[in-house]
Amino acid sequence: MTDARQSKTDHPAPRRPTKQRATGSSTAPATTKAVGVVTDDPSPRAPTASRLLKEQGILVEAENHFAQFGFEGASLENIAAAIGISRHNLLYYFPNKEALYQRVLDDVLTQWLAGMEDLSHSDDPQQALRRYIRAKLQYSRVRPQGAKVFSKEVIAGAPRYGQAITDRVGPLLKTEVRTFERWAREGRIAKVNFTHLMFIIWSVTQAYAEQEAQFALLLGKPALTERDYDKAEELIVRMVLSALAPGAVD
């Protein structure tokens, strides 16, 4: 009896293999993680060409509606209907009207600021101002609705875009003023209040977008022509350069 019991103790029964869980888990994922293989890519994907095209169509129509009705009067339903999609589909691209409005203004301002940067990088005051005035009038001619959206926002006191104007326009305006001041020290232009000079250029060039209908009516035309813009450019450039001619101002 003692020998039999001793035999069982010396030779224990083998263990049964552990059953795997029904979920199918194994050590493979741990091995994969250990070697640094990541299954989910956290980096954002670039938007597809079709998405960008759809967004651009929405922005063009939104710009027209905001120019005509303002932020409060424009509706996502009408913007969506104008391009043949549902409001729900529009919200896939822009989460709300505020985001769409901000994007429209961002695009308008980005194009304007590009011209301001070109002005600051030039070493020829006369040519730089000619190009800048031409670009501003060209913008008013080919994209008047953008100028109107921006003007409506500013006239209302910039309640939704004031901070962006301060943050984006302010630094570039200061850079322009410093460029003008350098030109004045070098004797290339007369010294005037350069901040107000830029305000005047903005105002007179944007007027050709904001008041195009009135100007055309007074000229007896259905709309202003390219020749009308050329004449305006010639006169505005002459006025600005005459005011900045060395010796023109004490």
Side-chain angles (χ1 to χ4, degrees), residues 138-167:
Q138 177 73 359
Y139 187 91
S140 292
R141 186 173 74 86
V142 302
R143 196 177 175 184
Q145 301 296 69
K148 292 175 182 177
V149 176
F150 196 88
S151 295
K152 283 181 180 292
E153 172 67 15
V154 172
I155 290 171
R160 294 177 176 83
Y161 206 67
Q163 192 61 51
I165 294 173
T166 300
D167 293 343

Side-chain angles (χ1 to χ4, degrees), residues 232-249:
E233 176 191 330
E234 180 182 353
L235 180 57
I236 296 167
V237 168
R238 183 187 300 178
M239 292 168 61
V240 171
L241 295 186
S242 295
L244 293 176
V249 180

Side-chain angles (χ1 to χ4, degrees), residues 88-103:
H88 178 76
N89 190 226
L90 187 152
L91 291 173
Y92 173 75
Y93 297 92
F94 299 95
N96 49 55
K97 186 166 72 167
E98 182 81 23
L100 181 56
Y101 183 70
Q102 292 279 338
R103 176 63 182 279

Side-chain angles (χ1 to χ4, degrees), residues 50-64:
S50 60
R51 180 185 178 93
L52 292 175
L53 185 62
K54 178 65 74 173
E55 284 185 359
Q56 188 58 37
I58 293 172
L59 288 169
V60 169
E61 196 59 46
E63 187 172 295
N64 292 335

Side-chain angles (χ1 to χ4, degrees), residues 5-128:
R5 288 195 299 270
Q6 184 67 39
S7 176
K8 290 180 181 180
T9 305
D10 292 343
H11 303 283
R15 295 180 181 180
R16 293 182 179 180
T18 304
K19 293 182 179 180
Q20 291 186 351
R21 295 179 180 178
T23 57
S25 62
S26 68
T27 57
T31 303
T32 302
K33 185 176 181 180
V35 297
V37 177
V38 180
T39 56
D40 294 329
D41 184 4
S43 59
R45 296 181 180 179
T48 63
S50 60
R51 180 185 178 93
L52 292 175
L53 185 62
K54 178 65 74 173
E55 284 185 359
Q56 188 58 37
I58 293 172
L59 288 169
V60 169
E61 196 59 46
E63 187 172 295
N64 292 335
H65 280 247
F66 287 134
Q68 183 175 359
F69 304 109
F71 177 81
E72 298 295 343
S75 72
L76 294 182
E77 289 81 359
N78 290 339
I79 294 171
I83 56 177
I85 64 174
S86 67
R87 181 181 185 275
H88 178 76
N89 190 226
L90 187 152
L91 291 173
Y92 173 75
Y93 297 92
F94 299 95
N96 49 55
K97 186 166 72 167
E98 182 81 23
L100 181 56
Y101 183 70
Q102 292 279 338
R103 176 63 182 279
V104 168
L105 288 172
D106 282 344
D107 286 358
V108 172
L109 191 56
T110 295
Q111 189 165 353
W112 284 356
L113 295 184
M116 291 177 69
E117 290 175 346
D118 292 342
L119 178 61
S120 300
H121 294 158
S122 178
D123 284 329
D124 187 328
Q126 286 75 24
Q127 289 302 318

